[in-house]
């Protein structure tokens, strides 16, 4: 029997909120990744980019305000920038952890474009806030130019963009080749650089792809055995925060869908993770998704903790 293939979707707590925090956070993350690699697993890593792409977008927005001869930097370009600098920090931390353990391992970062459908209904209803906070006047000017804005938790206005479903990972064959050659591969950062195909030409689109959805698609297309979604809790719960809260260790797809129908999972946090886990578990026989804490990933793969979702 061959080596098992595992896609690990890192949550924001694995990366920190700024450049300094990220350097520290990836050291801890690298230990977890190498622990898993030592279990004779092929590892593919995806990650979020929320704070990082926001920081880049803010900087670029402010630069345009200061220098009026500069044009707005498109969001796909900012996602590409975030993929690059997060990827290199993760790559170097993992390489150093391998070196400390005297393991001869290969680690590569692949900047990846993820294709979406230009007719995805999400484009008619953008909901994902990005970039710096705006005054009401700035928001109104944006709206007059066709740029959607909304108030964000009473803190001011922000530009909102669509969050369409990922359809195709354009660098899939490159990722497969590197995994086959024994590399730990870091890819699909921030859900991937959002693109659409125009008669074969890839063109960036103003959108943010959910990284758990992109990770689920990647895991399915790579033929992975496991999708591990790392988050801020050890297990998924029902009746979360209530007296009758119950932590779940094992969930069938059928049970998970029932809990979704009962609105057991919060829309902005656990729901998209469970939905992504279901899509992967359903994609082929024998596939399992695991939702757990970063620190518990190895124990989760060993079946000792976390929430496993399967058919």
């Amino acid at each position: 029997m061959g080596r098992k293939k595992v896609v690990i979707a890192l949550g924001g707590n694995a990366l920190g909120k700024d450049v300094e925090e990220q350097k520290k956070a990836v050291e801890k993350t690298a230990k977890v990744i190498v622990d898993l690699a030592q279990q004779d697993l092929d590892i593919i890593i995806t990650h979020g980019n929320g704070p990082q792409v926001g920081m880049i977008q803010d900087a670029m927005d402010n630069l345009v305000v200061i220098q009026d001869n500069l044009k707005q930097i498109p969001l796909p370009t900012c996602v590409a920038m975030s993929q690059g600098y997060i990827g290199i920090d993760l790559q170097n931390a993992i390489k150093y952890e391998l070196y400390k353990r005297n393991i001869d391992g290969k680690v590569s970062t692949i900047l990846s474009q993820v294709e979406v459908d230009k007719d995805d209904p999400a484009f008619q209803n953008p909901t994902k806030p990005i970039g710096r906070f705006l005054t009401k006047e700035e928001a109104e000017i944006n709206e007059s130019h066709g740029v959607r804005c909304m108030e964000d938790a009473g803190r001011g206005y922000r530009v909102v963009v669509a969050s369409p479903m990922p359809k195709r990972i354009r660098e899939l064959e490159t990722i497969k080749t590197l995994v086959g050659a024994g590399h730990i591969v870091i890819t699909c950062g921030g859900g991937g650089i959002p693109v659409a195909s125009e008669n074969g030409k890839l063109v960036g689109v103003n959108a943010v792809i959910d990284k758990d959805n992109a990770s689920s698609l990647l895991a399915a297309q790579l033929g992975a055995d496991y999708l591990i979604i790392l988050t801020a809790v050890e297990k998924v719960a029902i009746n979360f925060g209530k007296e009758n809260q119950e932590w779940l260790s094992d969930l069938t797809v059928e049970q998970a869908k029932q809990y979704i129908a009962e609105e057991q999972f919060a829309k902005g946090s656990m729901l998209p993770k469970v939905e992504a886990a279901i899509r992967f578990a359903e994609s082929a026989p024998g596939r399992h998704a695991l939702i757990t804490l970063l620190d518990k990933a190895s124990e989760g793969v060993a079946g000792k903790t976390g929430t496993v979702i399967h058919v």
Side-chain angles (χ1 to χ4, degrees), residues 2-220:
R3 285 158 64 94
K4 283 200 167 6
K5 208 175 270 137
V6 178
V7 171
I8 303 170
L10 298 176
N13 56 338
L15 298 172
K17 291 184 176 61
D18 55 38
V19 175
E20 292 75 24
E21 271 191 31
Q22 183 169 296
K23 292 272 190 209
K24 288 179 192 159
V26 293
E27 286 178 22
K28 180 180 163 188
T29 303
K31 290 184 173 71
V32 174
I33 301 297
V34 177
D35 284 346
L36 286 167
Q38 285 191 284
Q39 292 184 35
D40 207 29
L41 301 169
D42 286 334
I43 307 284
I44 304 95
I45 302 160
T46 66
H47 59 82
N49 70 342
Q52 295 85 357
V53 79
M55 183 177 71
I56 292 166
Q57 189 88 44
D58 283 354
M60 295 302 174
D61 286 354
N62 288 326
L63 193 60
V64 171
V65 171
I66 295 163
Q67 297 190 28
D68 55 12
N69 61 321
L70 293 177
K71 289 183 179 171
Q72 191 75 35
I73 303 293
L75 182 56
T77 306
C78 294
V79 174
M81 290 179 188
S82 72
Q83 276 193 4
Y85 99 83
I86 294 168
I88 210 67
D89 274 358
L90 268 171
Q91 181 177 311
N92 287 342
I94 295 165
K95 278 187 171 176
Y96 184 53
E97 189 62 32
L98 289 165
Y99 168 79
K100 285 194 293 185
R101 299 189 198 188
N102 205 24
I103 300 168
D104 183 24
K106 295 168 281 193
V107 190
S108 296
T109 299
I110 298 296
L111 298 193
S112 46
Q113 301 172 98
V114 174
E115 192 176 331
V116 300
D117 183 348
K118 284 195 296 185
D119 297 323
D120 189 305
F123 286 107
Q124 304 308 313
N125 182 33
T127 55
K128 193 89 176 169
I130 59 157
R132 67 185 180 89
F133 286 97
L134 309 168
T135 64
K136 192 175 182 186
E137 291 72 30
E138 286 175 315
E140 284 169 355
I141 291 167
N142 273 338
E143 290 276 2
S144 71
H145 289 108
V147 178
R148 295 269 191 97
C149 295
M150 64 184 281
E151 196 175 1
D152 186 1
R155 295 174 294 178
Y157 292 81
R158 291 172 84 189
V159 171
V160 285
V161 296
S163 187
M165 286 299 289
K167 295 294 179 190
R168 184 179 174 195
I169 293 150
R170 297 301 303 234
E171 284 70 29
L172 185 69
E173 292 307 314
T174 306
I175 296 163
K176 280 183 181 174
T177 301
L178 286 166
V179 173
H183 289 240
I184 293 172
V185 179
I186 301 156
T187 193
C188 289
I193 300 160
V195 295
S197 178
E198 292 182 0
N199 300 317
K201 183 181 181 183
L202 294 182
V203 179
V205 294
N206 200 38
V208 172
I209 300 165
D210 180 84
K211 67 100 173 136
D212 294 317
N213 287 338
S215 304
S216 178
L217 180 66
L218 175 69

